[in-house]
Amino acid sequence: MIKDSIKMSWDNIKSNKVRSFLTILGIVIGVASIISLITIVQGATDEITNQVSSLGANTITIQAPGTPLKQGLSDNDLDRLRDLDNIEGISPTITKEVSISSNNETMQDINIKGRNNIFFEEGSEKINYGRGFNYLDLESKTKIAILESEINKDIFLDENPIGKNIKINGISFKIIGTLKPGSEFEFSSNNNSIFIPYTTAMTILNNRNISEVDVYMTDSNNSDQIIEDIKVVLNRAFNYKENAFFIFNFEDIIDAIGDITGLMTLLLAGIASISLVVGGIGIMNMMLVSVTERTSEIGLRKALGAEPNRIQLQFILESIFLSLFGGLFGLVLGLLIAYIAATVIGYPFSVSPMTLFIAIGFSSVVGIVFGYAPARKASKLNPIDALRRL
């Protein structure tokens, strides 16, 4: 029974190729719109998430301007933060703009960043030449420096500067490393900074306290508890004064990006689904026309003993076939559009199993929903009235 119904449905679709093509065109456009939008937004989301993660995966940043009585954090405060559970390490930051000189040239307003060994251990793959800082460099307050790519290009024409010297505020520093070009190693990095040990920076820049610290977590799943533990330490340090410190968690930023892009995907998919509704109405219209054209055929089949359920099944199968063909063509077209867009924009192209499910599932639902009414009408035709059309 089902096999015969499928064959008759398929034969009827083939006998009206042009009309069938025009009918599924709405489904093709609708599915292609949804698939392309979802895929493009997903690719953009993955790219943005990867960039944010590269800036501070498993990292919590503390800004601690402090209070009039206590400005910034002391070494004891850092020790308390370091002793918290699920903390892999901490990296204080000292930042200031200074003048530098090298090769008889002087440059003003260069960004100096004091960092420790943990900072470079967490991002050792970003080192281009040389090495990062170690524990002895911090203890000895060694006068060494690591250059970002742009500053290396400006001073040493992008050559390997290892072993050469530069002067920072008139003090000579030996260069021990450079970072890779285009590095996103540090948040808001502009590739135009010079790194020195933070202990050295505190001495030559006359900084007594630290106002910024990066905290590296062993597991970002525990970030909420870690933040609460950090708040306990900082509240005690600043005597529970408001606005003495601010905590930024990159995982929260990533989650917020996911929520925003998810909402955008739903809104865009909702708009694009209007095309599916239009396509479904087109299928319903074609099936109603088909019922009218085949009224005599339906009457004859009923007179020969065909059951209403079988006639209804045939028309529903025709509707589902049209929707599925439209869905498959729309899937291919949508993925092609998404691939071209990803190539042009430069985002990664990826297809999730959910995308395939949406294409096939939506198409099937449209076929059943919009094909039911015509199929029901065909199954309810009075055979005597239908035979009068002969």
Side-chain angles (χ1 to χ4, degrees):
M1 172 181 168
I2 295 179
K3 183 178 180 181
D4 292 338
S5 297
I6 292 175
K7 184 178 183 304
M8 293 177 67
S9 300
W10 178 242
D11 290 341
N12 184 64
I13 292 174
K14 289 196 300 182
S15 64
N16 298 279
K17 293 183 178 65
V18 176
R19 187 169 68 182
S20 298
F21 171 76
L22 294 176
T23 300
I24 69 174
L25 191 58
I27 301 296
V28 172
I29 295 173
V31 171
S33 300
I34 293 176
I35 296 303
S36 60
L37 286 173
I38 290 177
T39 305
I40 291 172
V41 172
Q42 185 60 50
T45 302
D46 292 342
E47 178 68 13
I48 295 171
T49 301
N50 290 336
Q51 289 185 5
V52 174
S53 296
S54 68
L55 295 177
N58 295 332
T59 304
I60 295 172
T61 298
I62 301 171
Q63 297 282 351
T67 67
L69 295 178
K70 177 179 171 58
Q71 298 179 0
L73 298 169
S74 65
D75 287 336
N76 290 333
D77 297 327
L78 297 184
D79 290 338
R80 294 187 185 96
L81 290 173
R82 193 179 289 109
D83 292 338
L84 293 176
D85 293 335
N86 298 311
I87 299 298
E88 185 174 348
I90 65 171
S91 175
T93 303
I94 305 294
T95 304
K96 192 171 184 178
E97 290 186 349
V98 300
S99 64
I100 66 170
S101 60
S102 181
N103 296 332
N104 297 321
E105 292 186 8
T106 300
M107 302 175 66
Q108 302 291 335
D109 300 326
I110 300 300
N111 195 20
I112 294 296
K113 297 179 180 179
R115 285 288 196 173
N116 68 355
N117 57 310
I118 301 298
F119 177 75
F120 289 98
E121 289 172 5
E122 291 292 327
S124 59
E125 74 281 358
K126 302 300 182 180
I127 296 292
N128 191 16
Y129 297 114
R131 65 175 179 86
F133 303 142
N134 58 41
Y135 181 76
L136 291 178
D137 296 328
L138 301 172
E139 285 292 306
S140 304
K141 299 181 181 180
T142 310
K143 294 178 177 59
I144 54 177
I146 297 172
L147 308 183
E148 286 193 314
S149 58
E150 289 298 322
I151 197 72
N152 182 40
K153 183 184 296 184
D154 292 339
I155 299 176
F156 299 104
L157 303 179
D158 216 19
E159 295 180 355
N160 188 344
I162 304 301
K164 297 180 180 180
N165 294 318
I166 60 171
K167 287 188 176 181
I168 301 175
N169 281 357
I171 302 173
S172 182
F173 280 73
K174 183 179 180 180
I175 300 172
I176 64 167
T178 63
L179 296 183
K180 292 180 180 178
S183 171
E184 295 289 356
F185 188 22
E186 186 175 18
F187 185 69
S188 299
S189 172
N190 57 10
N191 293 318
N192 197 27
S193 300
I194 298 177
F195 291 86
I196 63 177
Y198 88 93
T199 50
T200 307
M202 293 182 72
T203 300
I204 69 168
L205 301 178
N206 196 27
N207 276 42
R208 295 183 178 181
N209 295 291
I210 298 165
S211 59
E212 181 177 343
V213 177
D214 287 336
V215 178
Y216 300 102
M217 300 176 286
T218 56
D219 186 359
S220 60
N221 293 326
N222 298 320
S223 60
D224 291 340
Q225 182 59 50
I226 293 173
I227 289 175
E228 291 301 317
D229 293 341
I230 291 174
K231 287 180 179 179
V232 171
V233 172
L234 297 182
N235 279 324
R236 290 175 180 173
F238 295 110
N239 199 25
Y240 298 89
K241 297 293 184 181
E242 294 184 358
N243 300 324
F245 62 88
F246 306 93
I247 299 175
F248 303 93
N249 183 9
F250 279 93
E251 295 296 328
D252 292 339
I253 298 175
I254 293 173
D255 291 341
I257 291 172
D259 293 340
I260 293 171
T261 53
L263 180 59
M264 287 178 57
T265 302
L266 288 176
L267 291 175
L268 293 174
I271 295 172
S273 64
I274 295 174
S275 299
L276 273 180
V277 176
V278 173
I281 294 173
I283 289 178
M284 179 183 289
N285 181 61
M286 176 192 168
M287 297 306 298
L288 289 172
V289 171
S290 180
V291 170
T292 302
E293 289 179 347
R294 296 157 63 187
T295 298
S296 57
E297 174 195 332
I298 296 170
L300 183 59
R301 290 177 60 191
K302 279 196 167 186
L304 294 175
E307 297 180 356
N309 288 340
R310 183 169 182 178
I311 295 173
Q312 180 174 320
L313 176 62
Q314 179 186 339
F315 279 88
I316 287 181
L317 286 174
E318 287 184 29
S319 178
I320 292 176
F321 282 152
L322 291 171
S323 295
L324 285 177
F325 288 141
L328 292 175
F329 285 127
L331 174 62
V332 174
L333 179 60
L335 293 178
L336 178 61
I337 294 173
Y339 177 77
I340 294 173
T343 302
V344 172
I345 299 173
Y347 286 168
F349 174 76
S350 61
V351 182
S352 66
M354 181 59 67
T355 302
L356 304 178
F357 172 78
I358 289 174
I360 305 301
F362 274 27
S363 301
S364 301
V365 170
V366 167
I368 294 172
V369 171
F370 288 93
Y372 177 78
R376 185 71 173 171
K377 178 181 178 182
S379 68
K380 293 296 183 180
L381 282 177
N382 189 309
I384 296 176
D385 294 336
L387 288 172
R388 289 175 181 171
R389 300 289 185 91
L390 286 173

